[in-house]
Amino acid sequence: MGREFASVGVVGLGTMGAGIVEVFARNGIAVLAVEINEAALQRGRDNLRGSVDRAVRKGKLSEADRDALLERVTFAVGLPSLHAADLVIEAVPEQLELKQRLFADLDGVCKADAILATNTSSLSVTEISVATGRPDRVIGMHFFNPAPVMKLVEVVRTVVTADDVVTDIEGLCARLGKVDVTIGDRAGFIANALLFGYLNQAVSLLEARYASREDIDAAMKLGCGLPMGPLALLDLIGLDTAYEILDTMYRRGGRDRRHAPVPLIKQMVTAGLLGRKSGRGFYAYEKPGSPVVVDGAAATATESEARTIAKVGVVGSGTMATGIIEVFARAGLEVVAVTRGAEQSGRTGEALKTSLDEAVVRGTLDEAARDAALGRVTWSATIEHLADVDLVVEAVVEDLSVKKALFAALDETCKPGVVLATTTSSLPVIELAVATRRPADVVGLHFFNPAPAVGLVEVVRTIRTSDATIATATAVARAVAKHPVVCADRSGFVVNALLFPYLNDAVKMVEASYSTADDIDAAMKLGCGYPMGPFELLDVVGLDVALAMQRKLYLELREPGFAPAPLLEQLVTAGYLGRRVGRGFRDHPER
């Protein structure tokens, strides 16, 4: 059992500090809310009152409970009022010197057995603790914004933090209804160390004009199920805050270039484009602090250039090919499905019918629409039957030589002006384009699995792809109810280029014995709102698939931070490939 905290002090009443005050007061704990002067104290009162009033309007809190909550909070100016507190948590700006001065002052004010906690998200808890004469009583207690809603608290112990202090804080988190993960003092802890490398890389894609801001954000929301795109999330966090966190992580975390802030971030901070709080960041907002975006989407290729697509060819017989056939057939397009023989056509046809039958059972498709979709598909074992189609999508094995041979054969078979598309997720599209005499007509159309369910298609443009081909590909994607994002021909495109380095970083954390797979998964789900933790996702995707993608990214970019984690390579060598074989980072006996 942890210590009972009768009184808690919170220093700094901005959005985060006021949220922490609310968390304690909601759970029946008296809170002393402290600021530097009366003006700041009034802003803190307003922050707290605004939050609890919103909760009442939303039906999350009764008026009586709100009033009781507010009665538990005492507001005060100056640190001397904290002399009797059992625990003091600081939530002042993320500046090491400021926090060190504050902790030195708290050391002189607070009683000897009081615990001093910092809510820092990136600074060294150890460096903060040594400003006091009681470093063993100092701990990190990192809440996530908004603190009353987010379940995660990262409990950060230094090498000298007393065991009883850790136990007491873990018990307190449970009393507050929070899930704690206890970790060592390392730059970025868990969530920020994984999150900000990914956010920084997303900015680098934008800076290089690899893809538009809208397409980068849409790709990660639709392709990975994330609650927000990375650029919109940076606007919410604040670009100045993001810059400070990245800079601190870079300096404290071994100077990994993936954490070196992209120059565009510094330029935007210098220009005062800080995100929502300033009214403009990567997007423009209705007013400072508003979530309402007012600027329009970036221009894309005009659909007036798009060619008419009435008949589509799909080459392949696997899960992805079957899903793509279903997508086109359900959208009303005639489909010629080419496999390697009658037996393959039969199996693929049965898989298609099963999928459509399941849609009928779920109520997303009626029987007449199912029968109509099946009637639009013609099965073939030869690509000669693709002579009169308007678009060909290949979904054969992910082998460059196989795909190049197929594209060369399609070049001989298909009529002029046909768009030739590849669903590759990792191979260079330009290699397939130059296998034909019509590279301007070759494009990537990267569907995600399962194709009928996932609303994203990456439209991959090579340096030879024509504007008309891009316009046609994006128009087709919209016609089949998919959201197209246009990107350049680079390893991983958008989604995989951002996703797999993040997964690789998570493996490196476990490899370094910094945290466990369970705690890292909990941190990313509860702290960042991700639908799956990185290790859950790795077991679903397949560790061999992740390793192959990470190797491709590393070979193309030659960035040391992209080198595959040795632990990932070792698990693949041992045959621990994930859910499909029954064992990956976790055991899956139900397979």
Side-chain angles (χ1 to χ4, degrees):
M1 290 292 293
R3 169 183 179 182
E4 283 292 324
F5 292 92
S7 174
V8 172
V10 177
V11 182
L13 303 178
T15 302
M16 179 56 79
I20 295 171
V21 169
E22 182 178 341
V23 168
F24 282 102
R26 273 178 178 258
N27 287 276
I29 299 174
V31 188
L32 189 61
V34 176
E35 260 295 358
I36 192 170
N37 55 44
E38 286 292 347
L41 195 69
Q42 186 57 50
R43 287 194 295 272
R45 282 194 186 95
D46 293 342
N47 284 336
L48 177 61
R49 186 71 193 217
S51 177
V52 295
D53 284 348
R54 282 194 299 274
V56 170
R57 289 195 298 271
K58 293 178 179 178
K60 303 288 182 64
L61 195 67
S62 70
E63 291 188 5
D65 286 342
R66 175 198 60 195
D67 296 342
L69 182 159
L70 292 172
E71 285 178 5
R72 296 187 192 105
V73 182
T74 302
F75 290 90
V77 172
L79 301 182
S81 57
L82 296 166
H83 67 279
D86 298 317
L87 165 69
V88 177
I89 303 172
E90 68 78 16
V92 301
E94 197 77 342
Q95 300 166 19
L96 180 60
E97 294 79 8
L98 173 62
K99 291 180 188 284
Q100 287 176 323
R101 287 197 305 271
L102 173 61
F103 270 69
D105 291 343
L106 288 171
D107 190 35
V109 167
C110 297
K111 60 187 182 181
D113 66 343
I115 295 173
L116 306 182
T118 172
N119 184 58
T120 182
S121 60
S122 61
L123 298 174
S124 168
V125 179
T126 304
E127 290 186 49
I128 294 170
S129 73
V130 296
T132 76
R134 58 175 99 182
D136 60 323
R137 311 298 295 170
V138 177
I139 195 166
M141 200 173 180
H142 179 215
F143 289 80
F144 287 74
N145 196 26
V149 175
M150 302 300 284
K151 284 288 190 183
L152 179 69
V153 175
E154 290 178 320
V155 176
V156 186
R157 68 181 305 162
T158 74
V159 291
V160 297
T161 305
D163 289 342
D164 66 297
V165 170
V166 176
T167 300
D168 289 345
I169 295 301
E170 289 175 338
L172 177 61
C173 288
R175 179 179 171 186
L176 297 174
K178 301 295 186 183
V179 175
D180 69 273
V181 293
T182 300
I183 47 181
D185 184 19
R186 165 181 149 162
F189 313 137
I190 293 176
N192 283 350
L194 294 179
L195 176 66
F196 277 86
Y198 149 72
L199 296 178
N200 199 40
Q201 191 183 352
V203 178
S204 73
L205 295 184
L206 181 69
E207 184 179 58
R209 299 185 180 181
Y210 176 68
S212 71
R213 62 184 183 181
E214 290 85 3
D215 280 354
I216 292 169
D217 279 354
M220 299 313 292
K221 288 170 64 181
L222 297 174
C224 296
L226 302 187
M228 295 183 75
L231 303 176
L233 179 56
L234 278 164
D235 274 0
L236 176 62
I237 292 169
L239 273 71
D240 51 343
T241 302
Y243 180 85
E244 292 299 331
I245 291 173
L246 283 165
D247 187 55
T248 301
M249 288 172 57
Y250 175 70
R251 288 185 284 104
R252 288 189 59 214
R255 299 190 179 271
D256 184 341
R257 285 180 58 193
R258 294 193 60 233
H259 293 144
V262 172
L264 178 59
I265 299 177
K266 182 63 177 292
Q267 293 162 14
M268 293 178 71
V269 171
T270 303
L273 307 179
L274 307 182
R276 285 191 190 181
K277 62 187 173 188
S278 68
R280 187 174 172 192
F282 290 105
Y283 298 88
Y285 298 88
E286 192 173 47
K287 60 182 179 180
S290 170
V292 180
V293 176
V294 295
D295 54 351
T300 57
T302 59
E303 293 194 7
S304 61
E305 300 178 72
R307 303 164 195 165
T308 300
I309 304 295
K311 193 173 186 180
V312 179
V314 178
V315 184
S317 56
T319 302
M320 182 56 76
T322 307
I324 294 170
I325 292 167
E326 179 177 341
V327 166
F328 286 127
R330 286 180 65 167
L333 295 169
E334 295 297 319
V335 183
V336 178
V338 178
T339 69
R340 287 181 293 178
E343 185 177 345
Q344 293 269 18
S345 291
R347 284 201 295 266
T348 307
E350 281 301 313
L352 173 62
K353 186 176 185 305
T354 297
S355 179
L356 291 170
D357 286 342
E358 289 172 351
V360 171
V361 171
R362 291 192 302 269
T364 59
L365 194 71
D366 60 36
E367 292 184 0
R370 174 200 61 194
D371 296 341
L374 289 170
R376 295 186 189 104
V377 182
T378 302
W379 299 94
S380 173
T382 173
I383 64 170
E384 278 68 30
H385 288 139
L386 301 176
D388 63 341
V389 300
D390 306 308
L391 164 69
V392 178
V393 179
E394 71 78 13
V396 299
V397 63
E398 194 79 342
D399 181 294
L400 184 59
S401 61
V402 172
K403 289 183 186 284
K404 287 175 72 172
L406 173 59
F407 270 75
L410 291 171
D411 188 35
E412 295 291 334
T413 300
C414 296
K415 65 187 180 184
V418 172
V419 173
L420 304 180
T422 172
T423 62
T424 183
S425 61
S426 60
L427 298 174
V429 179
I430 190 63
E431 294 265 10
L432 307 181
V434 298
T436 74
R437 291 166 296 181
R438 54 174 99 183
D441 295 331
V442 177
V443 69
L445 272 181
H446 179 214
F447 289 80
F448 289 74
N449 196 30
V454 180
L456 178 69
V457 172
E458 289 177 320
V459 179
V460 186
R461 179 177 203 151
T462 77
I463 58 173
R464 299 288 300 275
T465 308
S466 71
D467 289 344
T469 299
I470 292 297
T472 303
T474 55
V476 166
R478 291 191 181 98
V480 297
K482 302 297 180 186
H483 184 111
V485 299
V486 179
C487 61
D489 183 20
R490 196 183 88 170
S491 186
F493 310 140
V494 176
V495 173
N496 288 344
L498 294 177
L499 173 64
F500 283 94
Y502 148 76
L503 297 176
N504 195 52
D505 286 347
V507 177
K508 289 178 180 178
M509 268 190 186
V510 168
E511 185 176 63
S513 300
Y514 176 66
S515 190
T516 65
D518 288 343
D519 278 354
I520 293 171
D521 278 355
M524 298 313 293
K525 289 193 293 184
L526 299 175
C528 298
Y530 283 19
M532 299 178 76
F535 296 99
E536 290 176 290
L537 184 54
L538 278 162
D539 276 4
V540 170
V541 168
L543 275 64
D544 51 340
V545 174
L547 177 60
M549 176 56 70
Q550 197 61 36
R551 282 174 172 165
K552 287 185 172 71
L553 289 169
Y554 178 59
L555 288 173
E556 179 169 303
L557 301 174
R558 307 290 174 155
E559 177 62 56
F562 281 6
L567 176 59
L568 182 61
E569 294 183 316
Q570 292 160 12
L571 288 169
V572 171
T573 301
Y576 293 3
L577 306 184
R579 187 177 293 275
R580 73 175 186 272
V581 300
R583 185 164 184 181
F585 281 96
R586 297 183 176 90
D587 291 335
H588 301 280
E590 74 280 4
R591 179 184 68 90

